Amino acid sequence: DQQVKQNSPSLSVQEGRISILNCDYTNSMFDYFLWYKKYPAEGPTFLISISSIKDKNEDGRFTVFLNKSAKHLSLHIVPSQPGDSAVYFCAASDGAQKLVFGQGTRLTINP
Amino acid sequence: SQTIHQWPATLVQPVGSPLSLECTVEGTSNPNLYWYRQAAGRGLQLLFYSVGIGQISSEVPQNLSASRPQDRQFILSSKKLLLSDSGFYLCAWSVFSEAFFGQGTRLTVV
């Protein structure tokens, strides 16, 4: 049972435009959500997070939005840069310190 | 500052051979420790997590086991590897909800 889903395996965006990556979850006990970025043959690195008491968190070019009623979160990257090309993973935690990840979305930024 | 060490970076093992991947964390106490496997189409699959010495939770039935002999040491093992055990294995630690990952081990079972 995939509790965290990223339904788009890949996304291609032109440099300078906005990249929007989506994530859906099924477990209503999840109360903390994170986005990670991963390059090939490396471990994921933390990008940004959001607590369930918020609906938006912003850090520079990265903004995460949370819609609890829809069990949906999204990551916005504005403006997109070539170095943003990577696989992005959405993750959720239920407070028991167990982190569950989605399948990942491969983002390609085209010059 | 906290660091996480995972080794080896790559490993080629024959079917039926044993496996031992080690992960150690520095600069923190009593971290939660995790083993993940990255598989095509399944993202980062949680294999095991541990909230303390000797406490291991298994998420997926499989040919692997994990142990935590010390507070900051987490070991992934197998007695007999299968071809399907090939993949990219990642160790991670967290104190609160945010997790920090090692560089990963690319395991190829031949």
Side-chain angles (χ1 to χ4, degrees):
Chain A
D1 176 33
Q2 193 77 22
Q3 297 186 60
V4 178
K5 298 180 182 179
Q6 293 175 257
N7 292 315
S8 298
S10 63
L11 177 67
S12 187
V13 175
Q14 192 172 4
E15 182 179 359
R17 298 291 186 103
I18 182 171
S19 295
I20 301 176
L21 298 111
N22 294 302
C23 179
D24 297 292
Y25 61 96
T26 58
N27 189 341
S28 58
M29 297 301 293
F30 288 146
D31 60 1
Y32 196 72
F33 304 89
L34 310 93
W35 283 94
Y36 285 80
K37 178 179 179 180
K38 186 183 182 300
Y39 293 115
E42 293 183 9
T45 54
F46 170 74
L47 263 182
I48 192 169
S49 63
I50 188 167
S51 165
S52 60
I53 63 174
K54 292 185 169 184
D55 54 17
K56 177 183 174 182
N57 189 26
E58 191 172 354
D59 183 3
R61 296 186 298 115
F62 302 92
T63 303
V64 56
F65 295 93
L66 175 64
N67 183 334
K68 290 186 289 294
S69 60
K71 294 191 176 67
H72 176 84
L73 66 155
S74 60
L75 174 68
H76 292 210
I77 306 174
V78 179
S80 300
Q81 300 174 354
D84 296 329
S85 295
V87 176
Y88 289 78
F89 289 98
C90 165
S93 170
D94 61 359
Q97 309 294 358
K98 185 173 69 174
L99 266 183
V100 180
F101 283 80
Q103 307 97 311
T105 297
R106 181 176 300 280
L107 176 64
T108 303
I109 305 302
N110 302 308
Chain B
S1 65
Q2 301 89 353
T3 56
I4 180 168
H5 302 280
Q6 182 183 342
W7 67 92
T10 59
L11 190 60
V12 180
Q13 292 284 99
V15 169
S17 65
L19 172 74
S20 181
L21 300 181
E22 189 164 344
C23 173
T24 59
V25 181
E26 295 177 359
T28 186
S29 295
N30 197 32
N32 295 321
L33 296 172
Y34 308 85
W35 279 110
Y36 286 89
R37 177 168 57 198
Q38 185 181 9
R42 299 203 63 180
L44 292 174
Q45 184 184 30
L46 178 61
L47 302 176
F48 301 96
Y49 74 100
S50 171
V51 298
I53 296 175
Q55 300 178 61
I56 309 293
S57 296
S58 174
E59 291 295 304
V60 182
Q62 59 211 318
N63 184 42
L64 302 168
S65 62
S67 62
R68 185 169 179 175
Q70 299 180 43
D71 180 44
R72 288 170 286 180
Q73 184 185 29
F74 206 23
I75 298 172
L76 182 69
S77 304
S78 173
K79 292 182 179 178
K80 288 185 179 182
L81 284 168
L82 306 172
L83 285 174
S84 58
D85 292 324
S86 294
F88 190 59
Y89 290 83
L90 290 154
C91 177
W93 72 272
S94 74
V95 175
F96 300 105
S97 290
E98 183 180 325
F100 299 91
F101 286 83
Q103 288 299 295
T105 297
R106 171 68 61 189
L107 171 66
T108 304
V109 182
V110 297

